Amino acid sequence: MSEYSNDFKLNAAMAAIVLSGGVIGYAKSKSMPSLIAGSVFGLLYSTSAYYLSQGNSKVGLGVSVLASSLLGGVMGKKAIATSKPIPIILATGSAITLLSSGKELYNIHKN
C-alpha cells in the first residue's frame, strides 16, 4: 500500500466526507437524494480505498476515477448553477482525487 498511500488516504477522506454530507443533508432537510448519493459515493470511495489497501491498485484507482468523474460532473454542474459552498467543495475534492488517481492509473498502464 505504501506506493499508493496518498491515494488511499484521499479516497478514505472522500468516503467520509460524502457519506457524512449525505447524512447531514438528510438530517437537515429530509433529502433522500442526498442520503442516497452520499451513501453510493461513500461506498464507491470506500471500495477504492479498500482495494488500494489490499494492493490491488488497478481496481482501486479505477473505482476512484469512476467515482470522482461522476461526483465531479454532478457537483460541478450544481456548483456552477448555485454557487453554494458544499457543491463547490465536493467538486473541488473530486477533481483533486480524479487528478491524483488518474495520474497513478495512467502511470500503471503506461509501463
Side-chain angles (χ1 to χ4, degrees):
M1 182 179 80
S2 62
E3 186 177 357
Y4 301 105
S5 64
N6 287 335
D7 288 294
F8 166 78
K9 292 173 190 173
L10 198 52
N11 281 282
M14 285 298 290
I17 290 166
V18 296
L19 182 57
S20 62
V23 171
I24 291 168
Y26 179 76
K28 284 178 75 174
S29 60
K30 300 293 184 220
S31 171
M32 269 314 254
S34 290
L35 182 62
I36 292 168
S39 298
V40 168
F41 284 106
L43 180 63
L44 285 171
Y45 281 118
S46 295
T47 301
S48 173
Y50 171 77
Y51 278 109
L52 289 168
S53 74
Q54 298 301 307
N56 194 339
S57 55
K58 285 184 182 180
V59 173
L61 294 170
V63 172
S64 177
V65 166
L66 173 68
S68 297
S69 298
L70 293 172
L71 184 63
V74 171
M75 286 295 125
K77 183 178 178 183
K78 197 169 195 173
I80 291 167
T82 66
S83 298
K84 290 185 177 180
I86 297 302
I88 293 170
I89 291 166
L90 289 174
T92 303
S94 66
I96 291 167
T97 307
L98 175 62
L99 290 172
S100 178
S101 296
K103 176 183 168 256
E104 294 300 332
L105 191 59
Y106 172 79
N107 288 336
I108 288 171
H109 286 288
K110 184 174 72 171
N111 294 330

